[in-house]
């Protein structure tokens, strides 16, 4: 997803990643600009929130599906750009 920094000046944006798996999913912000960790959060259910005045950069979120007896561990990276 790509957002314009201008649209984040007065209020933030939020969206749901919508990932699905047969096992439990976990989410973690893995890349963000220096001193900009406070501008992005992700909940246990996959809801991403970009707070207002977010810095112009690229943010990455790692989505991990846990391993079980039937399924192998899987990971995907979600990229969010603020231009």
């Amino acid at each position: 997803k790509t957002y314009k920094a201008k649209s984040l000046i007065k209020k933030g944006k939020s969206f749901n990643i919508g990932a699905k798996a047969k096992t439990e999913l976990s989410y973690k912000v893995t890349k963000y600009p220096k001193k900009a960790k406070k501008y992005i959060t992700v909940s246990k259910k996959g809801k991403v929130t970009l707070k207002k005045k977010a810095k112009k950069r690229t943010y990455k979120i790692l989505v991990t599906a846990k391993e079980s007896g039937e399924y192998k561990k899987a990971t995907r990276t979600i990229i969010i750009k603020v231009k």
Side-chain angles (χ1 to χ4, degrees):
K1 288 202 172 240
T2 303
Y3 292 97
K4 295 196 182 243
K6 203 177 215 182
S7 70
L8 296 170
I9 290 175
K10 292 189 179 181
K11 70 178 195 176
K13 303 271 184 189
S14 64
F15 63 93
N16 198 340
I17 291 176
K20 295 179 182 177
K22 305 260 181 180
T23 61
E24 188 178 334
L25 290 170
S26 64
Y27 305 90
K28 183 180 181 183
V29 178
T30 56
K31 182 183 175 195
Y32 46 85
K34 279 189 175 179
K35 299 182 182 178
K37 187 176 182 178
K38 63 184 177 182
Y39 294 114
I40 187 167
T41 58
V42 63
S43 71
K44 289 180 181 180
K45 295 194 177 205
K47 184 176 181 181
V48 178
T49 304
L50 276 169
K51 298 189 175 141
K52 65 182 181 178
K53 299 183 182 177
K55 303 283 184 194
K56 290 183 180 182
R57 292 281 196 270
T58 300
Y59 300 85
K60 291 186 179 181
I61 297 172
L62 184 69
V63 181
T64 305
K66 292 187 178 181
E67 187 174 344
S68 71
E70 262 183 77
Y71 302 102
K72 293 181 181 178
K73 178 180 176 180
T75 60
R76 294 290 183 263
T77 302
I78 307 295
I79 299 172
I80 301 161
K81 292 181 182 179
V82 177
K83 292 184 175 183

